[in-house]
Amino acid sequence: MNTPISRPISAGPALVDPFGRHVTYLRVSVTDRCDFRCVYCMAEDMTFLPKKDLLTLEELERVSEAFIARGVRKIRLTGGEPLVRRNVMSLIESLGRHVKSGGLDELTLTTNGSQLARFAAQLHDHGVRRINVSVDTLDEQKFRTITRWGDLKKVKEGIAAAQKAGLAIKINAVALKGVNDDEIPEMIRWAHGESMDLTLIETMPLGDIDGDRTEQYLPLSVLRAGLMDQFTLEDIPYKTGGPARYMQVKETGGRLGFITPLTHNFCESCNRVRLTCTGTLFMCLGQEDAADLRAPLRASEGNELLDAAIDEAISRKPKGHDFIIDRRHNKPALSRHMSVTGG
Ligand code: SAM
């Protein structure tokens, strides 16, 4: 997979779902493993997939290229923690060539930042220009409690290294009632003070965790109303191709995003599908329906079967999801964890 230039990708027909939405954004979960155990994401004692079930990095590249040939312009690597997958940098290097050749507009990743100090410069060399780093609190003790295993100091060092390498950073924070809601103004000032965007995310009911999600769930409509006592928030048309809606914070001059799958879903403009590390394609983060791409991928060296499976999957992309969190629905809406499909 270390050919010096990217193979030319012959263009196939665009991927258009039954609702006329063009699929131009692929998220790839390169591993379900993570070096953190965030309380809203995983149970502490997780059983991970056997390594033999994973697509190899070459196979992940091949599926990604099949999507690029069908009009995908943006790829986000996620997980689990993408930077803990062995040799992941070789996949990033290969996919980065499509950015350099104009085949992709953007290659990016979502990371917990734990390995960034080590990899930031290489990410930039391979064509990554923007990354999302997940940070839910600026309090070291609380950070340890939320992530169970994480070290905030190390993450901050990673962020500094990434900025030094020239990567633009967006901080993602899951809003957790009674945990970090009182800290959001401070996080806005911190992120914007360091020239980073901040996006707030509602907790989604994915996978069994040790606690009760209804205790953690904080509607962002409520949080935003509170923020307006301290900040002037102005709607702006800024878009990154993802589901966040952005506002400008007048006092800091920075951007604040809101991802609100529960209080206001964003399905009508969905341009995304998600590939897991075992080659399963989820057409919607919030539905069980999925398509197996591993079998057609492995059945032949050419991409005809894979292409046909992708077409068939896109023809089943649902209109939207229906997450609910309330006291009557405190079971997860879906049994799989976010670490399987990737955030
Ligand atoms: N390990 C990487 C990271 O920490 O960003 C990438 C994977 S992680 C699953 C991606 C994002 O999903 C993180 O921002 C995380 O906070 C978020 N996340 C995980 N479980 C979630 C849930 N149930 N609801 C909302 N966001 C969740």
Side-chain angles (χ1 to χ4, degrees):
M1 79 188 255
N2 284 320
T3 45
I5 48 165
S6 61
R7 286 190 293 281
I9 293 188
S10 52
L15 296 171
V16 185
D17 79 3
F19 305 96
R21 295 170 299 189
H22 283 244
V23 173
T24 55
Y25 183 177
L26 176 69
R27 296 199 181 200
V28 182
S29 175
V30 299
T31 174
D32 65 329
R33 289 163 200 254
C34 189
D35 51 349
F36 289 6
R37 289 288 180 280
C38 298
V39 289
Y40 52 80
C41 185
M42 292 185 184
E44 183 156 23
D45 179 19
M46 289 284 288
T47 309
F48 292 110
L49 293 164
K51 289 209 170 123
K52 65 173 176 44
D53 288 353
L54 302 193
L55 295 192
T56 63
L57 294 172
E58 288 80 2
E59 287 173 326
L60 286 171
E61 182 189 351
R62 206 177 127 205
V63 181
S64 301
E65 289 187 341
F67 275 96
I68 296 171
R70 303 295 304 278
V72 159
R73 302 292 310 169
K74 172 169 173 171
I75 294 183
R76 175 177 296 281
L77 303 183
T78 176
E81 171 49 40
L83 295 179
V84 301
R85 172 113 191 218
R86 234 177 112 161
N87 290 334
V88 71
M89 246 356 108
S90 65
L91 174 67
I92 295 176
E93 182 176 13
S94 307
L95 294 177
R97 292 197 189 104
H98 297 291
V99 178
K100 293 176 183 172
S101 70
L104 269 182
D105 293 334
E106 185 170 39
L107 173 65
T108 181
L109 75 160
T110 299
T111 173
N112 65 24
S114 67
Q115 310 296 316
L116 263 183
R118 200 166 133 216
F119 290 123
Q122 285 181 64
L123 287 171
H124 191 271
D125 286 349
H126 297 332
V128 175
R129 292 291 174 269
R130 230 165 42 94
I131 57 172
N132 291 353
V133 184
S134 305
V135 179
D136 299 325
T137 174
L138 295 173
D139 177 304
E140 281 179 21
Q141 198 49 52
K142 213 189 279 182
F143 189 84
R144 169 64 64 144
T145 308
I146 294 175
T147 61
R148 292 195 182 102
W149 297 358
D151 177 354
L152 180 62
K153 269 205 193 94
K154 222 170 142 190
V155 172
K156 282 187 164 173
E157 283 163 20
I159 290 173
Q163 288 192 310
K164 190 157 168 251
L167 299 172
I169 296 180
K170 176 165 77 87
I171 300 292
N172 278 344
V174 175
L176 300 164
K177 187 161 67 182
V179 178
N180 65 357
D181 41 353
D182 59 330
E183 262 193 84
I184 303 297
E186 186 195 344
M187 290 192 67
I188 293 174
R189 289 190 193 94
W190 168 70
H192 293 175
E194 304 277 334
S195 306
M196 304 184 288
D197 292 345
L198 173 69
T199 291
L200 303 173
I201 308 175
E202 282 174 347
T203 41
M204 294 173 234
L206 296 176
D208 263 322
I209 52 171
D210 296 332
D212 175 357
R213 279 186 207 280
T214 51
E215 300 294 329
Q216 302 175 342
Y217 173 57
L218 173 62
L220 287 187
S221 47
V222 173
L223 184 70
R224 180 161 58 188
L227 289 176
M228 282 159 107
D229 293 340
Q230 295 186 47
F231 297 107
T232 317
L233 305 179
E234 291 165 350
D235 273 315
I236 48 170
Y238 179 71
K239 282 265 158 222
T240 61
R245 286 176 300 138
Y246 283 90
M247 311 197 93
Q248 183 91 20
V249 180
K250 208 168 162 202
E251 288 73 8
T252 60
R255 280 188 292 250
L256 180 62
F258 293 88
I259 298 185
T260 53
L262 286 103
T263 52
H264 178 281
N265 80 35
F266 34 72
C267 305
E268 67 282 356
S269 60
C270 183
N271 56 354
R272 292 172 289 288
V273 287
R274 298 174 142 87
L275 181 73
T276 71
C277 54
T278 55
T280 301
L281 190 74
F282 284 96
M283 289 72 83
C284 172
L285 178 63
Q287 300 280 358
E288 295 284 9
D289 190 31
D292 173 36
L293 300 186
R294 186 174 57 183
L297 177 79
R298 289 184 175 170
S300 110
E301 289 201 350
N303 278 359
E304 300 75 24
L305 296 174
L306 176 61
D307 257 337
I310 291 174
D311 278 323
E312 197 277 325
I314 300 300
S315 78
R316 281 193 277 133
K317 185 168 163 64
K319 194 165 181 194
H321 60 67
D322 31 38
F323 289 136
I324 303 175
I325 294 188
D326 67 24
R327 299 255 164 223
R328 283 166 298 137
H329 299 86
N330 63 356
K331 282 257 159 271
L334 295 173
S335 57
R336 66 178 194 274
H337 290 89
M338 185 73 115
S339 53
V340 173
T341 355

